[in-house]
Amino acid sequence: MGGEALMTTVFDSIAVGDVVAGSAAGVRGRLWRLHPSEVRDVAVSASAEILRLEAIRVAAVDELALNPDEQVLCYRGVGRWLAANTMLQNSAGNKIAALGAALRVFPDIAAQFEAGDLSLDHAALIAAFCESPPKGMPDIALTPSLKTLLAAASGVEATTTKVRYAIAVLERIFESDEPPPGEDNDLNALRIAPTLNGRVVIKGDFDALTGEMLLSALSGLSMPKPAADGTPDARSAAKRTADAFTELIRRYLDNAATGVDGGQRPHVNVHITAKDLAEHRECATTRADNDDAPDLDDESVFEDLDVGYMPWMGPLSVSKTRMLACDCMLSTVLMDGNGAPLDATPLKRLVTAQQRIALIARDKGCAFPNCDAVPAWCDAHHIKPWSTGGLTVMDNLVLLCRSHHTLIHSTSGFRGIWEIKMGSDHKPWFIPPAAIDPKQRRRRSTTRQGPVHRD
């Protein structure tokens, strides 16, 4: 009894705020005395504190850029000064300095960033869009476009892919002949340099399509491979990727001409509706001349438009998608009015290749909330098990990564905690347990898509 009372006293003596505000030295010794729910509070509070401090650092660096003293003037830019006096690299210091300068021009971005509702990376991404908007965008459209991007980047559900999706739709609305930066292959660069110790360092920067091809090629080769006795693969993810890159080069050299049969081109999956693929808009610069900008506050503007989507790299402009469609294998997936694929071969237990294509078009990867696993890492899961009468139809199938598939099927206390239901839009929704959300509000993955409207 005395021991229990002592333990209770120890727990009560530590507050979450004290851990976050205190020194990091010995923090692990303090964390183990907290309840897991309190440790979660520490992680969330520390993250909010990091956002606050980042905003202060950006403002301070920008003030030094405007009013440098002798010490700062010794460096080629305030970003390099910051890197030299902290543990940051020059690239990170320059990024902070560039963001500070951009926030002077765009106070709405600065306000959301300084309020802690916008990450540094997302602020930089939005600022870059505003500094170099699509060529076909009229000046009056910049303010509502900025409002749209800030909404996409707000809150804990914001992801880089979600922000990029919003940018891709805006580029689609104001389509022009100029490729967006993410698709401009003139900016591609690859540096390969031998080191003094006989190794080779590779550094590259590629457009989205090249990145999609590279990631697709490496995916199967970099999967973990258990040993013959079943021992898990001990290689790190970086080591597996390096081994996969080596194998990719070896296979290319072994086959020399590589393209004897030509193969199927391209070896890239891009999803888009037939309507948007076939539609040919006039160059949007004519719209700029008339100052006739669409109403970006009307959500139907976004819902009626589609952009290309690649499983690895995310959004792809319609112009690039149309270019690829001129020389590729096209697969047709019939969709309903909500964009959900229609059914085929429901009496088979195993998902057919055509059904998997349809699942990828609908879920774009693991459908579990906040999971970013790509389709190559996912299994097709029967929501109602086949063994209990569940049919192999789209309304009973969902893509889940191996981790979340195991979670759903687990018999060690997890079964039934998360429930999957098909919504009226024929897309999967996940209902969390009361321990996670007492109201058990349904949710779906927003990792690869724009805003989700709960009906």
Side-chain angles (χ1 to χ4, degrees):
M1 182 66 71
E4 293 177 359
L6 177 60
M7 185 61 72
T8 301
T9 301
V10 170
F11 278 166
D12 291 342
S13 66
I14 300 177
V16 169
D18 294 337
V19 176
V20 175
S23 170
V27 67
R28 292 179 180 271
R30 299 194 297 276
L31 285 174
W32 77 265
R33 296 154 69 184
L34 298 176
H35 187 274
S37 63
E38 294 175 308
V39 178
R40 283 192 280 109
D41 288 342
V42 168
V44 172
S45 298
S47 298
E49 185 70 1
I50 289 171
L51 288 178
R52 185 182 71 84
L53 292 174
E54 280 187 333
I56 293 174
R57 179 169 63 181
V58 169
V61 169
D62 192 47
E63 180 61 29
L64 286 173
L66 294 172
N67 298 294
D69 61 6
E70 291 80 1
Q71 291 194 35
V72 174
L73 290 172
C74 292
Y75 296 85
R76 289 189 291 116
V78 67
R80 288 179 174 271
W81 166 84
L82 180 64
N85 288 274
T86 63
M87 296 183 183
L88 294 176
Q89 298 297 312
N90 282 335
S91 57
N94 291 335
K95 181 177 180 179
I96 290 170
L99 178 59
L103 294 184
R104 286 182 240 146
V105 182
F106 303 105
D108 288 346
I109 305 177
Q112 189 161 315
F113 176 57
E114 291 166 3
D117 197 31
L118 183 65
S119 72
L120 186 146
D121 288 336
H122 291 167
L125 192 60
I126 295 173
F129 173 88
C130 293
E131 288 176 327
S132 300
K135 299 295 184 182
M137 176 183 284
D139 293 340
I140 61 172
L142 183 57
T143 297
S145 296
L146 175 56
K147 179 181 176 182
T148 297
L149 294 177
L150 290 175
S154 175
V156 296
E157 291 187 351
T159 63
T160 299
T161 301
K162 188 175 177 181
V163 177
R164 286 183 53 229
Y165 186 91
I167 290 175
V169 172
L170 289 170
E171 289 170 341
R172 165 73 197 281
I173 292 173
F174 304 106
E175 207 172 338
S176 72
D177 294 332
E178 296 291 329
E183 297 171 16
D184 188 352
N185 56 22
D186 287 339
L187 301 177
N188 288 1
L190 179 65
R191 296 176 177 83
I192 304 176
T195 65
L196 293 177
N197 62 355
R199 298 185 63 82
V200 171
V201 173
I202 302 175
K203 183 177 181 180
D205 181 9
F206 297 100
D207 63 282
L209 180 59
T210 303
E212 182 75 12
M213 290 189 290
L214 179 60
L215 292 171
S216 297
L218 293 175
S219 174
L221 299 174
S222 60
M223 296 292 285
K225 297 178 181 179
D229 61 357
T231 304
D233 194 331
R235 296 175 299 167
S236 66
K239 180 63 167 66
R240 294 200 311 270
T241 303
D243 290 346
F245 192 67
T246 302
E247 178 65 13
L248 196 64
I249 297 172
R250 186 192 66 77
R251 292 187 184 188
Y252 173 83
L253 295 176
D254 284 349
N255 288 281
T258 66
V260 173
D261 298 321
Q264 294 182 354
R265 294 188 61 199
H267 295 278
V268 170
N269 292 312
V270 181
H271 305 135
I272 192 169
T273 65
K275 170 180 175 293
D276 286 311
L277 179 62
E279 183 183 35
H280 287 274
R281 289 173 172 257
E282 295 181 358
C283 181
T285 51
T286 58
R287 199 180 296 122
D289 295 336
N290 299 327
D291 283 342
D292 183 19
D295 182 6
L296 298 181
D297 291 328
D298 182 0
E299 291 182 349
S300 64
V301 171
F302 292 86
E303 294 170 355
D304 291 342
L305 291 175
D306 197 10
V307 296
Y309 191 93
M310 300 180 293
W312 289 98
M313 295 298 295
L316 185 70
S317 70
V318 174
S319 57
K320 178 67 76 172
T321 304
R322 289 175 186 148
M323 185 198 75
L324 292 176
C326 292
D327 185 19
C328 72
M329 297 289 290
L330 288 176
S331 297
T332 301
V333 180
L334 296 179
M335 310 287 237
D336 65 14
N338 294 311
L342 300 177
D343 288 315
T345 60
L347 299 181
K348 292 186 177 182
R349 183 179 72 83
L350 298 178
V351 172
T352 66
Q354 189 66 17
Q355 282 179 315
R356 184 169 178 86
I357 291 173
L359 281 171
I360 293 172
R362 185 193 71 190
D363 296 342
K364 296 181 172 65
C366 181
F368 198 89
N370 301 318
C371 183
D372 59 0
V374 295
W377 300 347
C378 294
D379 303 323
H381 167 70
H382 284 76
I383 298 173
K384 180 180 180 181
W386 171 267
S387 59
T388 61
L391 297 178
T392 307
V393 295
M394 296 305 299
D395 273 1
N396 193 45
L397 295 171
V398 61
L399 283 183
L400 294 174
C401 68
R402 187 57 53 86
S403 175
H404 287 123
H405 201 181
T406 302
L407 177 72
I408 296 296
H409 279 290
S410 176
T411 57
S412 60
F414 287 106
R415 176 174 291 174
I417 285 184
W418 280 88
E419 187 178 359
I420 308 175
K421 286 189 177 296
M422 199 61 64
S424 59
D425 56 358
H426 301 286
K427 296 178 182 179
W429 292 84
F430 292 75
I431 301 174
I436 292 179
D437 182 0
K439 295 184 179 180
Q440 292 191 286
R441 290 164 292 197
R442 61 185 190 148
R443 57 185 76 176
R444 71 160 52 130
S445 175
T446 59
T447 305
R448 307 165 196 81
Q449 304 176 45
V452 169
H453 305 285
R454 294 175 172 82
D455 53 11

